[in-house]
Amino acid sequence: MDASKLFSHLVESLNEEIVISDVSVHDVRFPTSLEAHGSDAMHKDPDYSAAYAVITATGLELRGHGLTFTLGRGTDVVVSAIRALLPMVVGKSLLKIYTDFGSFWRALTNESQLRWIGPDKGAVHLAVAAVINALWDLWGKIEQKPVWKLLCDMTPEEILTLVDFRYLSDVLTKEDARQILSKLFPTRSERETQVHQTGYPAYTTSIGWLGYSDDRIKGLCQSAMAEGFTRFKVKVGKDVVDDIRRCTVIRSEIGWEQPLMMDANQRWDVDEAIHNMTQLAQFKPLWIEEPTSPDDILGHARISDELRKFRIGVATGECCHNKVMFKQFLAAKAMDFCQIDSCRLGGVNEIISVLLMAAKLGVPVCPHAGGVGLCEFVQHLAIFDFVCVSGTMDGRVIEYVDHLHEHFLAPVVIRRGCYMPPEAHGYSCEMKPESLVQYGYPDGAIWKELGRTN
């Protein structure tokens, strides 16, 4: 079928003469390391940052805003990678991109020379995410819908055009995807109504950063429970004796009925992870996240197998480079909880393929969030998954971190420990102009005031 015939409503809003005329790129950094926000066993002093892209198109007053998340140093590398992609973006017709988005995504990720410094991984793939996220933000604004609703209003055949199925056919074929999407298509409106009423369940990581004192952890647990949170995550991995002490503090505050997750942020070797989690099993964690190298599929599988007797799952994915690695993790039963990341993968299009594989193999998707803009992004993806792909929230939850939302024009809304569906048009990732200026690196006022550079 001609893809352009599938998007008849889009043809009414665009014509082929509307092309991308410019993409501005910004290095934006927040000095979160000053208060140990985001600190974990491997990243002791992150300055939450973003390589931020703004797309301008001829004849449109609307702008597409997108970003990819970084931790400070290295953001300039990703900014350079975004600029390296621009010859494949500027001058392209928006209508042609959106009506055959899967093909555009493949072209962008497979430029014959740039792919050598990937392919589909590292700084160049983070750069792809920024560009793709900006394109989705612009598409939502053009159609006057939040991105989750834009996706949920598409037919199964339209969604299929968004995905590049190359390298996936041994686990997920296009026909598999068609069947998954078609099965839930008639009842989408029921789940949309449900998510509007209840929101999407969240857990908070803000209580348990590794650099926080016991008193601060206690206070944050109390505040989170008062706000309606019933699910919590703690950072572990630096020292198991200290982990036991901190988990004791948290359990004393939240009780034993509330789910507690643990995150080692890649700290341990495989045998070390099994040994340490055997000691931490007394705290009844729902999962251990990133217990070892994020590339070690066989290691994760072994850890998962060894911890099953404790009813502890393995969660991973925030540093999983691409859809092919997710395919292997899922097929090898190396992840019990699939943690997509809106900026590690190459944007919405690649993430849809992972959601479809997880649905086929029955693995719950619990998106990684936090950082800069990740919460704003993943709420759209989780709602789309619920409405169109998995059809369930059972065993699923979105991470929430209460940092930096004040810098966005349409920040997330949390009620009673749940994400409420965003209503603003686009992908919820447009930063306030003053934040871009003040936190621009290295010339922003905040960095000049601090008198330091990374």
Side-chain angles (χ1 to χ4, degrees):
M1 182 182 294
D2 183 353
S4 63
K5 295 180 181 178
L6 296 173
F7 295 93
S8 57
H9 53 289
L10 187 58
V11 177
E12 298 173 2
S13 304
L14 295 174
N15 61 64
E16 291 188 7
E17 295 180 359
I18 297 177
V19 301
I20 297 171
S21 56
D22 182 61
V23 182
S24 61
V25 190
H26 309 265
D27 184 332
V28 186
R29 309 188 194 187
F30 300 90
T32 50
S33 62
L34 295 178
E35 297 187 64
H37 299 323
S39 54
D40 61 50
M42 295 293 275
H43 312 97
K44 65 179 182 178
D45 57 352
D47 284 328
Y48 280 179
S49 306
Y52 189 90
V54 182
I55 291 177
T56 303
T58 57
L60 287 182
E61 293 185 4
L62 300 169
R63 301 288 184 269
H65 294 249
L67 61 84
T68 195
F69 173 57
T70 56
L71 292 186
R73 288 183 293 275
T75 308
D76 52 325
V77 176
V78 183
V79 165
S80 295
I82 295 172
R83 289 177 176 144
L85 293 172
L86 297 189
M88 292 170 285
V89 177
V90 175
K92 294 294 188 295
S93 160
L94 286 177
L95 183 61
K96 288 183 177 180
I97 290 173
Y98 293 143
T99 56
D100 193 11
F101 214 157
S103 295
F104 175 81
W105 187 91
R106 179 185 287 196
L108 192 63
T109 57
N110 276 274
E111 199 279 332
S112 62
Q113 294 183 8
L114 284 176
R115 75 182 306 277
W116 188 255
I117 58 173
D120 296 352
K121 61 178 70 71
V124 71
H125 210 50
L126 295 174
V128 167
V131 173
I132 296 296
N133 289 338
L135 282 166
W136 277 96
D137 182 60
L138 182 56
W139 193 354
K141 290 171 179 174
I142 290 169
E143 300 228 27
Q144 299 184 343
K145 298 176 183 179
V147 163
W148 72 265
K149 180 61 173 170
L150 174 66
L151 284 164
C152 290
D153 285 348
M154 292 184 187
T155 67
E157 292 300 323
E158 287 172 335
I159 294 171
L160 291 176
T161 68
L162 306 173
V163 179
D164 177 10
F165 287 93
R166 184 161 63 173
Y167 306 135
L168 302 182
S169 61
D170 53 323
V171 168
L172 179 80
T173 65
K174 193 171 184 178
E175 183 56 34
D176 292 333
R178 179 178 287 111
Q179 291 179 15
I180 291 168
L181 295 167
S182 297
K183 180 180 179 181
L184 295 181
F185 184 61
T187 56
R188 284 184 186 176
S189 61
E190 298 172 13
R191 288 181 295 282
E192 280 196 41
T193 299
Q194 180 183 341
V195 79
H196 274 294
Q197 293 173 342
T198 67
Y200 200 106
Y203 70 87
T204 177
T205 303
S206 298
I207 64 151
W209 298 119
L210 208 58
Y212 285 0
S213 68
D214 288 358
D215 286 342
R216 190 171 191 181
I217 290 172
K218 289 178 182 179
L220 289 169
C221 286
Q222 294 164 11
S223 297
M225 288 188 292
E227 293 168 7
F229 282 98
T230 58
R231 304 164 182 87
F232 307 86
K233 189 168 80 177
V234 59
K235 297 292 184 175
V236 298
K238 190 174 182 180
D239 175 78
V240 71
V241 174
D242 188 61
D243 293 338
I244 290 171
R245 179 185 58 78
R246 294 169 66 253
C247 289
T248 300
V249 170
I250 290 172
R251 275 298 185 199
S252 71
E253 294 296 329
I254 70 171
W256 289 87
E257 299 303 316
Q258 315 286 18
L260 177 65
M261 288 76 88
M262 297 180 180
D263 186 355
N265 287 98
Q266 315 161 26
R267 179 75 177 197
W268 300 318
D269 279 5
V270 173
D271 289 334
E272 186 181 14
I274 295 166
H275 176 266
N276 289 345
M277 286 310 300
T278 298
Q279 296 184 69
L280 293 170
Q282 62 183 294
F283 298 101
K284 302 186 184 302
L286 176 64
W287 74 52
I288 176 61
E289 185 173 331
E290 288 195 316
T292 192
S293 165
D295 298 340
D296 190 353
I297 297 165
L298 296 180
H300 277 80
R302 182 167 163 239
I303 294 167
S304 176
D305 186 59
E306 292 285 346
L307 296 183
R308 196 162 287 120
K309 60 180 175 286
F310 299 112
R311 302 182 70 180
I312 300 172
V314 168
T316 194
E318 73 175 85
C319 288
C320 194
H321 307 299
N322 54 53
K323 61 187 179 182
V324 177
M325 284 197 70
F326 270 102
K327 178 187 76 171
Q328 294 177 75
F329 268 103
L330 290 163
K333 302 186 186 306
M335 59 168 59
D336 302 298
F337 298 91
C338 174
Q339 295 182 305
I340 55 169
D341 183 282
S342 56
C343 296
R344 179 72 60 177
L345 292 172
V348 176
N349 305 66
E350 187 171 27
I351 288 168
I352 292 172
S353 69
V354 175
L355 296 178
L356 288 163
M357 286 190 287
K360 180 181 176 183
L361 297 176
V363 178
V365 175
C366 299
H368 167 252
V372 180
L374 300 185
C375 296
E376 278 70 22
F377 281 141
V378 297
Q379 58 184 338
H380 294 266
L381 304 170
I383 293 171
F384 165 69
D385 177 59
F386 170 59
V387 173
C388 299
V389 183
S390 68
T392 181
M393 294 187 208
D394 292 346
R396 296 158 192 270
V397 65
I398 308 174
E399 184 169 20
Y400 176 71
V401 176
D402 189 17
H403 302 309
L404 306 177
H405 302 293
E406 66 274 15
H407 297 287
F408 291 88
L409 292 177
V412 295
V413 175
I414 301 290
R415 292 180 188 157
R416 301 176 302 278
C418 293
Y419 280 83
M420 301 310 295
E423 298 179 358
H425 304 158
Y427 205 6
S428 305
C429 55
E430 183 172 350
M431 281 190 185
K432 295 176 180 177
E434 57 269 30
S435 294
L436 289 176
V437 173
Q438 291 173 4
Y439 293 90
Y441 187 86
D443 297 322
I446 296 297
W447 291 104
K448 286 184 176 179
E449 180 181 334
L450 289 172
R452 69 182 175 98
T453 57
N454 286 346

